[in-house]
Amino acid sequence: MKRFIIISALVLTLTACEKVIPFNTSLSQPEAVLNAVPSVDKQLFVYFAHTHFFLDSTNNQPINDVDMVVTVNGTDYRPTSLNRCNYFFDYTVRENDDLAIRIHADGKEINAHTVVPRAPRISQPVAVTNDTGAFHLLIVNFNIDDYADHKDYYCITLRQRDSGSRYSHYFERYDTIDTTYATFFLCNDKDLIDPFIAANMSVGGFSPFNQLLTTDENFDGENHNTTLTLIRLTDTNEVVPYIHQYTLDIETVSPERYRYLQDIANATSMLQLLTEPPAVYSNVNGALGIFAANARRTFPLITLTGGTLPPPEEPSNKHRR
């Protein structure tokens, strides 16, 4: 009884001392933000708006009197449609496109530049499950047919889709789930995770990645074979049948996007709980944001059982060098 009284008194004391800190949404003048990721075989579009308070959903409106032009390989294109703050152009992005954007708005000139990378040359991945050890593993193997005499920047992710019914013991009910997210995987390929070339920190290859940023410095111009490993965790609350689907995404990215993704990863890492977050890279002059290109290939993984990997296929889009 005495313990209950002491705890109740402590709760009341803390509650009495609680203060509400109001948000001040007018601390600074809104700034212009330019964000765009021109992607191979996708329609070119650009997001351009003012910064606004993150809880204000009414201020996501286009800036007035915007003059915008994107120069593609020397040819000027102007927006053909506008959806809220997204400006769409009548152009499909191609490999090696040289893109420069110029905007006049708010009495300022805003500009940025990027070059679209070539799409990665990847063999059809082979995925097998291995349940013979202590862990349930998904092993993914594929070839990277790298371009010769050209520095390529790669971004590798594994996406997992979970779909089905799951029993919640806390609420004593069944919940329906259908969600897709970037999942963690392991990579022990020293040519990819070499700390002198990779943007991610790894300890002997056993650090999990949810996004592997690396370059071709150790295999420039080679047909490089690599393997990713995913630990499949078992959830006993899942109701059979329950879907687990996996997709491999491999991007080549422009140097600006590589630097930007690296800074984002560093700013959101666990180490930032102890230090000040670093500034995130921007190649936009006159505004905030990033204007950087990529080329992505997506492979839904068809999983085989058996625990051994058959020889990976040769890249179907391999070019003679």
Side-chain angles (χ1 to χ4, degrees), residues 153-271:
Y153 298 82
Y154 292 98
C155 176
I156 301 173
T157 55
L158 268 175
R159 286 184 290 124
Q160 179 172 332
R161 180 193 174 205
D162 294 342
S163 181
S165 295
R166 184 178 180 278
Y167 183 71
S168 172
H169 289 277
Y170 183 81
F171 294 105
E172 296 184 343
R173 71 185 186 199
Y174 289 93
D175 295 326
T176 300
I177 296 173
D178 192 352
T179 182
T180 302
Y181 56 93
T183 190
F184 286 92
F185 60 90
L186 304 176
C187 179
N188 199 30
D189 185 340
K190 292 181 174 57
D191 287 331
L192 293 184
I193 65 173
D194 183 339
F196 293 102
I197 66 164
N200 308 84
M201 295 293 293
S202 175
V203 181
F206 293 101
S207 298
F209 304 96
N210 72 338
Q211 174 182 263
L212 176 54
L213 295 167
T214 190
T215 73
D216 66 348
E217 188 167 331
N218 287 336
F219 54 93
D220 179 52
E222 298 178 6
N223 193 2
H224 181 74
N225 182 255
T226 192
T227 299
L228 312 178
T229 303
L230 182 147
I231 299 176
R232 298 184 301 140
L233 301 177
T234 301
D235 186 348
T236 57
N237 294 320
E238 295 172 356
V239 179
V240 178
Y242 195 93
I243 296 174
H244 292 290
Q245 294 175 330
Y246 302 94
T247 301
L248 174 66
D249 290 328
I250 302 181
E251 299 177 52
T252 45
V253 298
S254 66
E256 306 86 22
R257 180 161 173 79
Y258 186 86
R259 171 79 179 276
Y260 174 77
L261 292 174
Q262 179 181 8
D263 285 356
I264 290 294
N266 291 336
T268 56
S269 71
M270 293 295 292
L271 295 177

Side-chain angles (χ1 to χ4, degrees), residues 36-80:
V37 184
S39 187
V40 170
D41 294 333
K42 303 293 184 183
Q43 182 180 9
L44 176 63
F45 77 94
V46 172
Y47 175 87
F48 183 65
H50 279 136
T51 57
H52 62 279
F53 184 54
F54 75 101
L55 291 179
D56 183 2
S57 60
T58 64
N59 196 31
N60 193 18
Q61 300 296 325
I63 299 176
N64 294 326
D65 301 323
V66 172
D67 181 23
M68 179 184 299
V69 59
V70 173
T71 302
V72 183
N73 306 323
T75 302
D76 289 346
Y77 292 84
R78 293 187 178 275
T80 55

Side-chain angles (χ1 to χ4, degrees), residues 73 85 109 113 122 150 164 185-186 200 264 287 303:
N73 306 323
C85 298
E109 179 173 317
H113 172 265
I122 308 297
H150 181 273
F185 60 90
L186 304 176
N200 308 84
I264 290 294
T303 305

Side-chain angles (χ1 to χ4, degrees), residues 108-174:
K108 298 180 181 179
E109 179 173 317
I110 300 162
N111 61 78
H113 172 265
T114 191
V115 175
V116 181
R118 289 174 287 188
R121 302 190 302 214
I122 308 297
S123 67
Q124 181 63 43
V126 177
V128 300
T129 59
N130 187 328
D131 299 330
T132 59
F135 297 102
H136 302 292
L137 303 178
L138 176 67
I139 303 171
V140 183
N141 184 270
F142 57 92
N143 287 350
I144 302 174
D145 186 24
D146 188 71
Y147 295 96
D149 302 322
H150 181 273
K151 186 167 185 178
D152 291 298
Y153 298 82
Y154 292 98
C155 176
I156 301 173
T157 55
L158 268 175
R159 286 184 290 124
Q160 179 172 332
R161 180 193 174 205
D162 294 342
S163 181
S165 295
R166 184 178 180 278
Y167 183 71
S168 172
H169 289 277
Y170 183 81
F171 294 105
E172 296 184 343
R173 71 185 186 199
Y174 289 93

